[in-house]
Amino acid sequence: MKISTLFNSGKPVFSFEVFPPKKTSSIEMVYNTIDSLKKLHPDYISVTFGAGGTGVQNATVEIASKIKNTYGIEALAHITCVGSCKAEIDLILNSLLDNNIENILALRGDLHEERPFYNDFPYACDLISYIKKSYNFDVSAACYPEKHLEAKSMEADLQNLKRKVDNGATNLISQLFFDNNSFYSFLEQAEKIGIKVPIQAGIMPIMNKNQIERMVTLCGATLTPKIKTFLEKYENNPEDLKKVGIEYAAEQINDLLQNHVDGIHLYTMNQSDVAEKICQLTGRV
C-alpha cells in the first residue's frame, strides 16, 4: 500500500520510527521492539538508514522487509543520498522492490568528512526526482518546522521544500519540535507557498538530558521554558525525567490532534514501552 493513500481516510495517520542496531548489537532487539509496536496498530513503521553499509547489505532493507512481509505492517524505508553514488542507490531501490517495499523517505543525509561526496544526488530533491522518474515508489520527504540548520532563512528552506514536493514527494514528515506553535506557523507558511501535501508532525519524547541536548544541537529545535525547567529539576532523577518527558510528548500530540493535523510520527528510539505509554495517554489504547 502506498502511504499517501492512508491520508485519504480523513483520520490522522499514526506511525512509528525504529532504527537498525549498531554493528555490535543484535538485530533481534529491533524485532522485539516491533513485536510490541505491532500491538499498538500503527498505520506504518519507518526504518532509518544505517548499519550494514550500502547496497543490498543495508540493515534498513532487511528490517523494512520484515515489517512488511512478516508483521504485515506497511513499511517506510529511509534512504540517504549524500554518501552514495547512483549505482549504490539503484542497488538499494531494487532490493526494496524485491522485498515488496513500496514506500521511501528520501533524505540527503548528514555530511561526514570520512564519507565521499557524490554529485549524483547533491540534495534530497534530486534523489526524489530520480526515484519518481525511474521507479514506482511512493516518496515521502522531511521538513523542518524551525528551519534546517544549513538553510539561510525560513523562506529559503520553504522554497527547497516546495522543490521536493514539485519533484514528486507525496507527503512530508517533520523534524522533531517541542513548541506546537512553531509547527502551526510552519503549516501556515507552507500552505501560502502552495505546499498542499499531507504533513505529519514528528514527535520525540524526552528520555534523558544528554540525549535531548545532543538532538537539539543536531537539528536546531527550540526547548520550551517548561522543558528547560523539568530538565534542570530531574536531570539527576532519570525515571522521573522519563515520566515527565512522556507526559509532555502526549500533551503535544493531544493538542496537535485537537487541531486536526494530518498525522503523528513518533520517534520511538526503539523503546516500545515509551510508545505504549504515549498511546495510552493519547487514547490510542
Side-chain angles (χ1 to χ4, degrees):
M1 176 189 293
K2 300 290 180 68
I3 283 175
S4 59
T5 65
L6 295 172
F7 295 94
N8 296 334
S9 69
K11 297 179 181 179
V13 171
F14 202 94
S15 56
F16 299 130
E17 179 180 287
V18 298
F19 56 84
K22 296 179 180 179
K23 293 180 181 180
T24 55
S25 302
S26 169
I27 200 167
E28 292 302 318
M29 295 176 65
V30 181
Y31 296 143
N32 291 337
T33 297
I34 298 169
D35 278 331
S36 299
L37 294 178
K38 181 179 180 179
K39 301 171 186 176
L40 303 175
H41 307 291
D43 292 302
Y44 71 86
I45 295 177
S46 77
V47 189
T48 65
F49 189 82
T54 58
V56 294
Q57 299 302 316
N58 195 285
T60 301
V61 176
E62 178 183 344
I63 296 170
S65 178
K66 190 94 167 182
I67 290 169
K68 176 69 180 282
N69 301 307
T70 301
Y71 290 97
I73 303 168
E74 204 53 58
L76 174 67
H78 295 209
I79 292 183
T80 61
C81 61
V82 69
S84 300
C85 63
K86 178 179 174 294
E88 291 172 329
I89 293 295
D90 282 332
L91 273 175
I92 297 169
L93 293 173
N94 283 300
S95 181
L96 288 168
L97 284 176
D98 291 342
N99 284 276
N100 198 31
I101 304 302
E102 301 177 77
N103 303 286
I104 288 171
L105 176 60
L107 305 162
R108 187 199 68 177
D110 296 329
L111 298 172
H112 295 287
E113 291 183 2
E114 67 273 13
R115 192 165 63 182
F117 182 87
Y118 292 96
N119 288 321
D120 293 350
F121 310 106
Y123 300 104
C125 60
D126 302 310
L127 178 60
I128 292 167
S129 178
Y130 176 72
I131 293 172
K132 295 303 291 187
K133 289 177 181 177
S134 306
Y135 295 87
N136 188 32
F137 288 102
D138 216 36
V139 182
S140 304
C143 59
Y144 304 87
E146 297 178 83
K147 185 181 78 64
H148 191 285
L149 278 178
E150 296 176 27
K152 293 181 179 179
S153 66
M154 191 68 196
E155 292 73 18
D157 201 34
L158 284 163
Q159 288 300 325
N160 184 53
L161 182 61
K162 183 71 162 52
R163 283 190 286 274
K164 293 181 185 179
V165 174
D166 291 344
N167 285 359
T170 58
N171 60 283
L172 305 171
I173 301 172
S174 89
Q175 178 61 272
L176 64 94
F177 60 91
F178 301 106
D179 184 348
N180 284 6
N181 288 327
S182 296
F183 184 70
Y184 299 141
S185 175
F186 164 75
L187 292 181
E188 291 178 4
Q189 294 177 76
E191 185 176 11
K192 283 181 180 178
I193 67 167
I195 295 174
K196 304 295 185 182
V197 298
I199 303 176
Q200 278 184 272
I203 300 298
M204 177 177 283
I206 294 173
M207 297 293 100
N208 66 68
K209 190 171 185 288
N210 290 337
Q211 174 208 53
I212 210 61
E213 288 178 344
R214 177 177 177 273
M215 291 303 300
V216 167
T217 300
L218 290 173
C219 72
T222 302
L223 295 177
T224 65
K226 184 175 180 178
I227 289 177
K228 291 178 180 179
T229 297
F230 70 65
L231 282 176
E232 182 177 350
K233 182 176 181 180
Y234 298 114
E235 64 176 320
N236 297 317
N237 192 332
E239 287 302 314
D240 282 348
L241 179 57
K242 182 176 180 178
K243 179 176 181 292
V244 296
I246 289 171
E247 290 171 351
Y248 188 90
E251 289 173 6
Q252 271 192 279
I253 292 171
N254 282 328
D255 179 75
L256 290 162
L257 294 175
Q258 288 169 11
N259 283 278
H260 310 293
V261 295
D262 295 314
I264 303 294
H265 189 65
L266 186 64
Y267 299 109
T268 70
M269 304 303 291
N270 287 8
Q271 297 187 48
S272 58
D273 61 318
V274 173
E276 182 175 3
K277 184 61 178 177
I278 287 174
C279 285
Q280 290 172 348
L281 292 172
T282 56
R284 288 191 55 85
V285 177

